[in-house]
Amino acid sequence: MTLLDETREVQSKPPFVTHFDRLNLFKFFFYLTDTDERNGAMRASPGSNRVIRDHRLKAVEELHLKSMDNIVHGDVPTMPIIGPAGTLFIFDTDMCHSAGTVDNGRSRRTMRGHCVTLDGLEAYAASEREMEGH
């Protein structure tokens, strides 16, 4: 279970800034509480995965996976994923996404999981081998 309490300061790192995951996954989010923009609804940019996938693959070839800059710089329009407790959504982590900020006195509870493709596992393993060689 993941719990987000109120966001007190401006955040500059994932999950609160728009980003993509370094390792391509399918993520599963299950809202355990009614969730809207006041308590940190996840934000997403549908369709952005088509552009990000190429960028991530190129970056994996040039950099170690863990040192890749996965923060999306510039203005990317996102929309909140709002839903009652029990809402399940699944997304490709090449899509630009972020956690929403949580207002004072509120919280967001979720369960999440993920799965990775064979290509993703191979990229991660190659990155780990490369890191061991340095």
Side-chain angles (χ1 to χ4, degrees), residues 96-132:
C96 299
H97 61 281
S98 66
T101 56
V102 180
D103 291 351
N104 292 339
R106 298 191 178 272
S107 64
R108 181 190 83 182
R109 285 183 167 77
T110 60
M111 285 181 56
R112 61 182 200 166
H114 60 270
C115 61
V116 64
T117 65
L118 180 56
D119 288 344
L121 283 174
E122 288 172 348
Y124 181 77
S127 182
E128 288 296 306
R129 284 191 300 273
E130 179 183 317
M131 197 62 174
E132 289 172 1

Side-chain angles (χ1 to χ4, degrees), residues 49-118:
N49 56 303
R50 292 179 292 231
V51 174
I52 294 298
R53 179 163 292 120
D54 291 338
H55 172 75
R56 182 184 51 75
L57 290 171
K58 182 178 179 189
V60 166
E61 290 175 9
E62 297 172 1
L63 299 168
H64 183 270
L65 195 65
K66 291 180 182 174
S67 62
M68 177 193 312
D69 180 10
N70 66 328
I71 294 174
V72 178
H73 302 279
D75 188 29
V76 175
T78 61
M79 57 184 275
I81 300 174
I82 295 171
T87 297
L88 170 68
F89 57 95
I90 303 168
F91 66 100
D92 177 335
T93 60
D94 277 347
M95 179 180 64
C96 299
H97 61 281
S98 66
T101 56
V102 180
D103 291 351
N104 292 339
R106 298 191 178 272
S107 64
R108 181 190 83 182
R109 285 183 167 77
T110 60
M111 285 181 56
R112 61 182 200 166
H114 60 270
C115 61
V116 64
T117 65
L118 180 56

